[in-house]
Amino acid sequence: MLHSMTNEPEQQIGVGTPDAFQRLWTPHRMAYIQGENKPSGPEAGDGCPFCDLPGKSDEDGLIIARGSAVYAVLNLYPYNGGHLMVVPFRHVADYTDLDEAETAELALLTKHAMTALRAASGAHGFNIGMNQGVEAGAGIAAHLHQHIVPRWGGDTNFMPVVGHTKVLPQLLADTRAMLAAAWPA
């Protein structure tokens, strides 16, 4: 059902049984659910998006910053606006497999991400972490990536609880440009 300028609901094709609910569509989530951009296997040559992204321009790959061993990139399927990841260039699955330089730079870019997110969006807090293995929830388990999810007071509202929907206020390309501009030098 859609509400136009009147209080009378109009039927929208494809929404099922008419009811009093309005619908917010998040079609980008279906790509994630159906496994789009997922590698076909565990090796770097199996279509790993984290191996492919560094070959793109920053704008096309939604890359915010590049270091010598790791890079920061927006999540294509974000939990919140500004949700980004720090990813090693090297195709490695487990945190314990990182060398000292990769570990140090991953920590440094995580700090830079927090600084940029605070400056650009006024983030109050963060969820930071890695899902190690499919069993732990890793969507792409073969290539390590650390999530940095900005949080704000009151950001958990009725939409995710009732509607299982996140409302993102900005296009990913605009978020990338904003965070790249706020990234520490």
Side-chain angles (χ1 to χ4, degrees), residues 33 38 117 125 135 137 153 161 163-164:
I33 291 166
K38 295 264 178 119
L117 284 160
E135 299 78 11
V161 175
H164 301 283

Side-chain angles (χ1 to χ4, degrees), residues 3-150:
H3 288 284
S4 57
M5 299 303 286
T6 70
N7 288 335
E8 295 299 316
E10 10 176 304
Q11 178 66 36
Q12 182 181 5
I13 307 277
V15 298
T17 305
D19 56 31
F21 290 100
Q22 295 187 55
R23 305 297 196 275
L24 289 178
W25 299 102
T26 55
H28 67 282
R29 295 295 301 163
M30 187 53 69
Y32 178 76
I33 291 166
Q34 293 177 335
E36 186 175 302
N37 299 321
K38 295 264 178 119
S40 60
E43 303 303 320
D46 292 335
C48 175
F50 296 134
C51 289
D52 294 341
L53 283 172
K56 297 181 178 186
S57 71
D58 289 354
E59 291 77 12
D60 289 342
L62 298 174
I63 294 171
I64 298 163
R66 296 172 191 252
S68 58
V70 302
Y71 64 96
V73 62
L74 283 180
N75 190 319
L76 274 181
Y77 312 104
Y79 295 119
N80 263 351
H83 176 178
L84 59 92
M85 298 172 291
V86 178
V87 183
F89 288 111
R90 188 166 63 97
H91 188 84
V92 58
D94 197 87
Y95 183 69
T96 60
D97 293 333
L98 293 177
D99 64 30
E100 294 300 318
E102 290 166 327
T103 303
E105 194 171 57
L106 187 129
L108 179 64
L109 263 67
T110 298
K111 289 172 64 172
H112 285 182
M114 293 172 67
T115 300
L117 284 160
R118 282 187 179 123
S121 68
H124 298 144
F126 300 90
N127 293 117
I128 297 173
M130 299 175 204
N131 299 324
Q132 292 284 265
V134 172
E135 299 78 11
I140 299 175
H143 198 133
L144 176 80
H145 52 286
Q146 177 163 269
H147 294 265
I148 297 105
V149 181

Side-chain angles (χ1 to χ4, degrees), residues 59 62 74 170-178:
E59 291 77 12
L62 298 174
L74 283 180
Q170 190 174 45
L171 296 173
L172 290 177
D174 295 338
T175 302
R176 192 218 68 81
M178 178 183 74

